[in-house]
Structure formats: C-alpha cells, structure tokens
Amino acid sequence: MAAEDDAPAAAAPATWDRLAEVGPFFALGTGRPPAGAVPLAAVYAGDPHPWERRLDHVASRLGTDERRVAASLAHQGIASRLWSVALAATAVLGTVPRLSPDRLHWLPEGSAPDDLWTTEPLTAPAGRGPVPPAAGTPPPNGARAPRPSTADAVHRAVHITHLEPLARTVRAGTPIAPALLRGNSASALAGAGRQLLGWARRAAAPETAERVAALSATLLRHPQLRPAWTGTTGIFRRRSCCLYYRTPGGGLCGDCVLDSPPRTGPA
C-alpha cells in the first residue's frame, strides 16, 4: 500500500485572491469593507444616497457639471468591474462567481481596483462549473463555444443580477437612454474580454485564451446585448456613445459609434 505521503495533493480551492494574478482590475477586495462602503443591494433597492455620492465623485474627477455624463461613465465603470471579475473567475479559475449584491460592497468614492469588496467565498453554485467546449458548430473565430448554461450563468450573475437593477437606479435619478446603458454594458464586456485575452496570451495559456474568446463571444451574442453593438471582421463597435467626449479634454472611445466628436452643448 502506498504511503500516505505518496498520495496526490488535493488541488487548492479557487479563491478571490487568485484573480489578482490576472491584474488589479479583475480582482476584488476581501475581508472587512472600508468605512463608507455599502452593499450594492442597497443601491438597487432604491437608496439614492450612495449613487448620488458616486455621481459627485465622478463629476468632480472629470471636471464636468453634466449629471447625465457622470451617470453614464459611473455606470460603465461598475459594469467593467463586474464583467471583468466574472470573466476571470469563470475562464481562468473555472468557477462562475455568485457576486451576491448583499455581499458585494461598493465604495462610491473609490476608484478601480479599490472600489469593490466581497464578503462571500468564491464557490461555484450547483451545476455551474468550469467552461467546457460545446458540441456543434464553433463560432466564426474558430474558438470552441462554451455550453450555453455556462454563458447563461455568467449573464445572470452580471447582467440580470446587477446591471438591470443598476440601470433602473441610474434612470430613476437621471434622464438617460436605455440603449446607451446597454451599450455601456456591451462595451464593458468586450473591453474586459480583450484585456483578459491579452493576459492569457502573455501568460502562454492557450486553453485559457480559447475559453476567454469563446465565453466573451457567446455573451456578446446574448439577445439582451447583441442589439447594442455591431462588428465586421472581428471589430467591436457599439451603437451608442458613452458621452465621454463631453468631459473637458475628453474624446471618443475606440469603439464609439461616432466618427468625430459633435459640437458640445447642453446635454
């Protein structure tokens, strides 16, 4: 009988700390949230104060007095962080994160990556495991597509659980088009996918790169996001503008629907 010391070591459980290996923008703080942080569940439940604090912070940093501009860019910032965390946990660690709004704490005056903390462990809900290849026709880029259930789980974890109620909070205090917010979500997802794919390639992790490409492509084709963007030859371009060009010194983002900044006036 083999000695106990000869038994293979159990694989270390995935933890939030491992996401810091990908980069700080993909990581979450753990442990006790800082003073002033609030559960995102409170923001979604209708408490206007945390969101107003965020708008004050963003407007001050960007030097804008246009509330609609600050609201759009604040919304896109949260969307970027949530998609980044979810993509990295799923494609790199093989775990679809819960990202429970009552246990995900947000500091309205914080800046990425020091704006989100979680108080729950990184564990996979039943039936949500690593991203496996799906049978059938691969997507146009040649990557194997993840099973729909995995992509659907990530979509639920981010878009349904967070970005839909966040959009309602944003629009409750600021007149802003739903299509603009959907464009922010799609743009944030595409950007997170590009950053994560670049990391996987630099890390010489081709299987991870394949999972990232397949998962990102599947999520972007979701019916709730597909109308928000267009693309030819693999180039993503949103159908709306985040309004960054309206900030002092701002310009157009690389995926903007606009070809040149329009003349600015009242938003």
Side-chain angles (χ1 to χ4, degrees):
M1 186 171 72
E4 184 175 346
D5 289 345
D6 293 334
T15 65
W16 292 116
D17 292 341
R18 286 194 57 198
L19 295 184
E21 300 173 10
V22 180
F25 202 82
F26 292 84
L28 288 178
T30 56
R32 186 183 182 90
V38 297
L40 280 171
V43 179
Y44 306 154
D47 182 354
H49 300 294
W51 184 247
E52 289 299 317
R53 287 166 51 196
R54 184 60 168 182
L55 294 191
D56 290 342
H57 179 68
V58 171
S60 175
R61 291 191 63 188
L62 295 177
T64 181
D65 58 1
E66 295 187 60
R67 215 62 171 169
R68 187 165 67 103
V69 175
S72 172
L73 298 177
H75 170 270
Q76 182 155 280
I78 297 178
S80 295
R81 290 286 279 123
L82 292 170
W83 281 124
S84 296
V85 170
L87 285 180
T90 304
V92 178
L93 305 183
T95 298
V96 178
R98 293 181 186 271
L99 299 179
S100 303
D102 59 332
R103 302 188 69 176
L104 193 58
H105 294 255
W106 175 60
L107 183 63
E109 293 81 13
S111 298
D114 300 319
D115 57 345
L116 288 178
W117 284 259
T118 185
T119 58
E120 69 181 343
L122 176 63
T123 55
R128 302 184 190 180
V131 181
T137 304
N141 62 8
R144 292 177 298 173
R147 289 178 183 168
S149 59
T150 302
D152 286 346
V154 176
H155 182 268
R156 287 194 301 271
V158 177
H159 191 90
I160 302 298
T161 302
H162 288 276
L163 298 184
E164 285 192 349
L166 176 61
R168 290 192 291 270
T169 297
V170 173
R171 299 188 69 236
T174 310
I176 194 165
L180 187 155
L181 299 181
R182 287 194 297 270
N184 282 353
S185 178
S187 178
L189 169 58
R194 287 192 299 270
Q195 292 295 320
L196 188 55
L197 183 60
W199 171 84
R201 288 171 173 168
R202 291 191 299 273
E207 292 184 358
T208 298
E210 183 180 16
R211 288 195 295 270
V212 171
L215 180 59
S216 299
T218 302
L219 287 166
L220 283 169
R221 291 196 299 270
H222 191 282
Q224 290 183 308
L225 291 177
R226 186 62 187 89
W229 63 278
T230 184
T232 56
T233 64
I235 298 175
F236 173 95
R237 191 169 188 178
R238 57 184 292 170
R239 297 180 185 271
S240 60
C241 174
C242 72
L243 307 178
Y244 176 65
Y245 77 90
R246 299 185 67 91
T247 63
L252 298 181
C253 304
D255 62 1
C256 187
V257 67
L258 302 175
D259 293 318
S260 60
R263 296 179 61 183
T264 57

